[in-house]
């Protein structure tokens, strides 16, 4: 059986880490595409030259032409500008929509059967545009946001409770912006509700809520926190890890339940938009959306987040995309 092939569109910070992670995990052959001449060739050569040390023999190729992405099983898109300090993800809309438009045309022509994972920001709008331009079936277009946002939330909970992050299950839904919805009520440590653990730790429901509110806020601002520290760009290790987990779930037909930006066709009362919800990822991409019951407060936060996605997409359409 031929080895699977993952093409990475955008060979910048996230693209480079993705190439290395995929090679280290021996998931697939990798093609790294970028418009900058020689750069993807240089990065892949650098990674290949560590293959003897790390013990992988997948093939890595750097290209500047879309021909190279032919027959990809998965395409992961990171092409586009990252944020600088003081910018919101939405500030990237015009520049990145232009880039996404050209990327989608390239993928449509050269990798028409691939499953696409989109990382470029503003995420919810970029996923929408990619699907519109390619005309790919909705199950084959998935945005990466929830896996990372949930991992960030889980890290904060693990630090706060002094437990291994491996035992923390916490999910973030909604759009990939300030309105994202960390699901506090469902967050647990190996089945034990996080809120209950916080109440026991502080012996006060009020203090527990205060601590949780701070973790929720930090989760929403987590991308910006990294941007502020890096000064020259945005997070790249963690988004690459998140997309690698999604690609692994798809290539291995694992049916993992991963919060992903997927097309809603009536689920959660939303029709016709890509929004972050728990999705079953397998060989057919997004195979199913899992619905979770939300109380009034959670539902209103989710609806607010959906409205932010709707208005972002409307802005993009007004700009002619
Ligand atoms: N086609 C292909 N690649 C492109 C194009 C294009 N039309 N335009 C720009 N690129 C490439 C750039 O040359 C650069 O190498 O996209 C790459 C982006 O890499 P970085 O600037 O390092 O950005 P990165 O940190 O990887 O983030 C990429 O993901 O999380 C989001 O907000 C982030 O939108 C940003 C994207």
């Amino acid at each position: 059986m031929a080895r699977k092939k993952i093409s990475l569109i955008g060979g910048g910070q996230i693209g480079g880490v993705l190439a290395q992670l995929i090679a280290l995990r021996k998931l697939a052959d990798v093609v790294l595409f970028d418009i900058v001449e020689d750069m993807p060739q240089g990065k892949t050569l650098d990674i290949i030259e560590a293959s003897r040390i790390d013990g992988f023999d997948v093939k890595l190729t750097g290209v500047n032409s879309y021909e190279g992405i032919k027959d990809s099983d998965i395409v992961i898109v990171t092409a586009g500008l990252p944020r600088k300090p003081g910018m919101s993800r939405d500030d990237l809309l015009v520049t990145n929509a232009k880039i996404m438009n050209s990327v989608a045309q390239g993928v449509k022509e050269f990798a028409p059967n691939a499953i696409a994972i989109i990382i470029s920001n503003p995420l919810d709008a970029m996923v929408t545009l990619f699907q519109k331009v390619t005309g790919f079936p909705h199950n084959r277009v998935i945005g990466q946001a929830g896996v990372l946002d949930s991992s960030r939330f889980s890290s904060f909970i693990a630090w706060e409770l002094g437990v291994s992050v491996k035992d923390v299950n916490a999910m973030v839904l909604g759009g990939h912006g300030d309105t994202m919805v960390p699901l506090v009520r469902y967050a647990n440590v190996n089945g034990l509700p996080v809120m209950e653990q916080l109440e026991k730790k502080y012996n006060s429901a009020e203090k527990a809520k205060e601590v949780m509110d701070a973790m929720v806020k930090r989760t929403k601002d987590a991308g910006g926190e990294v941007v502020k520290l890096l000064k020259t760009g945005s997070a790249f290790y963690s988004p690459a890890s998140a997309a690698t987990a999604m690609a692994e779930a798809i290539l291995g037909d694992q049916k993992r339940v991963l919060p992903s930006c997927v097309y809603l066709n009536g689920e959660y009362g939303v029709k016709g938009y890509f929004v972050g919800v728990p999705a079953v990822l397998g060989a057919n991409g997004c195979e199913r959306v899992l619905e979770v019951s939300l109380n009034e407060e959670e539902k209103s936060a989710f609806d607010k987040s959906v409205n932010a996605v709707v208005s972002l997409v409307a802005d993009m359409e007004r700009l002619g995309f």
Side-chain angles (χ1 to χ4, degrees):
M1 200 168 63
R3 200 144 41 193
K4 298 287 186 183
K5 174 169 171 177
I6 300 181
S7 291
L8 309 173
I9 315 295
Q13 298 277 65
I14 303 177
V17 177
L18 268 170
Q20 191 183 28
L21 282 177
I22 293 165
L24 288 173
R25 296 190 194 177
K26 310 175 184 90
L27 282 188
D29 288 335
V30 176
V31 170
L32 188 65
F33 171 97
D34 205 287
I35 49 167
V36 178
E37 257 179 54
D38 292 339
M39 183 268 275
Q41 290 83 350
K43 282 201 179 180
T44 46
L45 180 62
D46 189 14
I47 296 170
I48 292 165
E49 289 175 350
S51 60
R52 176 65 187 88
I53 306 163
D54 289 315
F56 59 82
D57 55 11
V58 297
K59 227 167 80 188
L60 292 106
T61 318
V63 300
N64 299 114
S65 130
Y66 276 103
E67 291 263 14
I69 73 165
K70 264 189 188 157
D71 301 323
S72 300
D73 297 284
I74 293 187
V75 164
I76 305 180
V77 183
T78 63
L81 295 195
R83 283 193 277 172
K84 295 265 162 58
M87 286 174 89
S88 80
R89 293 184 181 91
D90 296 359
D91 291 337
L92 301 168
L93 184 60
V94 181
T95 320
N96 285 357
K98 279 189 202 143
I99 293 174
M100 188 55 72
N101 202 15
S102 74
V103 167
Q105 286 172 26
V107 174
K108 180 182 179 178
E109 184 174 351
F110 290 97
N113 300 315
I115 292 174
I117 299 173
I118 311 297
I119 304 185
S120 313
N121 275 314
L123 195 266
D124 311 281
M126 293 303 105
V127 175
T128 306
L129 180 60
F130 180 92
Q131 191 282 325
K132 187 172 159 187
V133 176
T134 56
F136 277 14
H138 294 114
N139 61 301
R140 284 207 274 123
V141 182
I142 308 167
Q144 186 299 118
V147 175
L148 170 56
D149 295 328
S150 303
S151 177
R152 285 170 165 161
F153 188 31
S154 300
S155 297
F156 305 146
I157 292 170
W159 298 340
E160 171 58 36
L161 291 177
V163 299
S164 165
V165 73
K166 289 199 289 186
D167 292 322
V168 178
N169 296 302
M171 200 151 13
V172 177
L173 306 187
H176 187 47
D178 306 338
T179 59
M180 66 178 76
V181 188
L183 281 188
V184 171
R185 204 161 49 95
Y186 288 99
N188 68 81
V189 179
N190 247 349
L192 314 179
V194 168
M195 278 315 290
E196 198 179 288
Q197 291 304 309
L198 286 174
E199 281 164 23
K200 288 190 192 305
K201 174 175 172 183
Y202 291 105
N203 205 12
S204 150
E206 203 180 320
K207 176 70 182 167
K209 184 174 177 315
E210 202 180 289
V211 170
M212 177 51 88
D213 286 350
M215 290 197 287
V216 164
K217 182 169 183 327
R218 190 169 180 194
T219 302
K220 292 181 183 185
D221 298 340
E225 186 180 355
V226 175
V227 171
K228 215 162 144 197
L229 292 166
L230 293 181
K231 297 185 180 71
T232 52
S234 50
F236 53 100
Y237 294 110
S238 53
S241 288
T244 304
M246 294 168 78
E248 196 166 15
I250 293 166
L251 287 184
D253 193 23
Q254 291 174 341
K255 320 287 187 201
R256 286 204 64 194
V257 178
L258 297 176
S260 309
C261 178
V262 296
Y263 187 78
L264 294 184
N265 193 17
E267 300 90 346
Y268 293 88
V270 179
K271 209 173 163 72
Y273 286 92
F274 284 87
V275 181
V277 292
V280 177
L281 301 192
N284 294 314
C286 170
E287 300 191 343
R288 208 150 39 99
V289 166
L290 297 189
E291 295 206 61
V292 50
S293 32
L294 301 176
N295 64 25
E296 229 165 86
E297 193 188 338
E298 292 155 352
K299 177 89 178 75
S300 118
F302 184 79
D303 288 346
K304 204 170 139 202
S305 195
V306 171
N307 287 339
V309 173
V310 170
S311 86
L312 181 66
V313 170
D315 283 351
M316 185 172 70
E317 284 169 356
R318 254 194 305 278
L319 290 164
F321 292 100

